[in-house]
Amino acid sequence: MNIQWQLPDNSTWETNVPSINQLLFALEVVDAVSIQGVSYQTVQKQLVVQDDHIYVAVSLVHRMAEGH
């Protein structure tokens, strides 16, 4: 399934995962997502249906440092 990572600067990064179940489980048990060396926190997951294209959009925000 296609995943669209929506970054805080409004850019997107797309990936494809073989198992959406494993990805969603992983997102529930981890505190952060690291993309190209930058840590983010998930704020929303949404199934998007556009015409004949279906994907999961994961919205991210910059992760605050521990203790802040």
Side-chain angles (χ1 to χ4, degrees):
M1 172 159 278
N2 291 327
I3 308 299
Q4 185 180 84
W5 302 93
Q6 299 176 337
L7 303 172
D9 65 359
N10 293 323
S11 66
T12 58
W13 191 61
E14 295 191 23
T15 59
N16 192 309
V17 296
S19 172
I20 190 65
N21 290 336
Q22 288 179 340
L23 173 69
L24 293 175
F25 175 75
L27 290 175
E28 292 299 320
V29 298
V30 299
D31 292 327
V33 174
S34 179
I35 296 177
Q36 299 179 336
V38 179
S39 288
Y40 301 96
Q41 186 171 359
T42 61
V43 290
Q44 181 179 2
K45 296 175 285 291
Q46 179 177 357
L47 181 66
V48 179
V49 180
Q50 290 182 329
D51 302 319
D52 61 346
H53 185 63
I54 297 173
Y55 62 94
V56 171
V58 180
S59 299
L60 304 170
V61 295
H62 286 286
R63 184 167 187 227
M64 295 190 64
E66 295 293 323
H68 290 104

